[in-house]
Amino acid sequence: MALFRRFFGAEGAVHDNQLQAEAANAAQGLDIDAAVVAHQQWKQHLLALLAGHHSEAGLEVEDTCRDDRCDLGRWIHGQARARLGTFPGFTALLSHHRMFHHVACNVLALEQAGKRGDARRMVTDQFEAYSDRVTEDLRLLQQVVNQPRSEPGRSN
């Protein structure tokens, strides 16, 4: 029951098959495991960039700042928002994903300005935290979707 309350808010306090089905339908357009891996890889990519092991090729600050251009962002701003947009678990994911991109954008801007130390600190102090929160939000959604359905008339 706590799982559903965390994602759906007060409406989810009682396991509701209809709410769970809505989340499952929205999640059809997203490979949650791949989205988690992609967010984990972003940190490694930024750290490698800051260590001088990678160029900024393919990392445009403008695109990085936009939270609606990656696969997860397109899903969040499209299918997911239409189906899940009012639920606390979704709004947390939306907010954390937006901040993930905002901080990544700032890290790139600091790197381009030659402030590599500041960029590294931002990765450690902020980027990791938002990356972890996005991962946690996605795992919560995955748990909601994969939770066994209750029998009609019963709550879990």
Side-chain angles (χ1 to χ4, degrees):
M1 186 158 78
L3 174 70
F4 285 83
R5 185 175 292 128
R6 278 181 52 212
F7 189 83
F8 295 113
E11 292 180 51
V14 175
H15 182 140
D16 186 329
N17 283 338
Q18 188 173 16
L19 289 174
Q20 186 181 16
E22 196 66 25
N25 287 337
Q28 289 295 320
L30 176 69
D31 181 337
I32 294 173
D33 290 327
V36 167
V37 168
H39 274 262
Q40 291 168 346
Q41 289 174 338
W42 253 96
K43 177 185 168 198
Q44 297 308 315
H45 190 73
L46 282 178
L47 289 174
L49 174 73
L50 296 175
H53 298 302
H54 289 289
S55 71
E56 293 177 43
L59 282 180
E60 297 296 326
V61 174
E62 182 180 317
D63 287 338
T64 301
C65 292
R66 300 279 309 265
D67 71 325
D68 61 349
R69 296 210 175 153
C70 65
D71 290 341
L72 178 58
R74 285 190 292 275
W75 176 79
I76 287 171
H77 288 281
Q79 181 175 339
R81 180 176 257 166
R83 293 179 179 264
L84 305 173
T86 61
F87 298 116
F90 173 78
T91 57
L93 173 61
L94 173 69
S95 174
H96 295 146
H97 184 254
R98 180 174 290 139
M99 289 304 299
F100 169 89
H101 278 272
H102 176 74
V103 173
C105 178
N106 287 335
V107 168
L108 289 176
L110 287 168
E111 166 64 16
Q112 289 177 352
K115 298 180 178 183
R116 189 166 279 168
D118 290 339
R120 280 193 189 125
R121 276 188 293 285
M122 185 169 275
V123 166
T124 302
D125 295 344
Q126 295 177 32
F127 183 80
E128 287 183 37
Y130 284 113
S131 180
D132 289 347
R133 288 182 182 132
V134 168
T135 298
E136 291 167 11
D137 296 338
L138 288 169
R139 292 297 183 207
L140 175 62
L141 174 61
Q142 191 172 46
Q143 288 176 319
V144 166
V145 168
N146 293 334
Q147 180 78 18
R149 302 260 167 100
S150 66
E151 296 175 25
R154 283 187 55 206
S155 64
N156 286 355

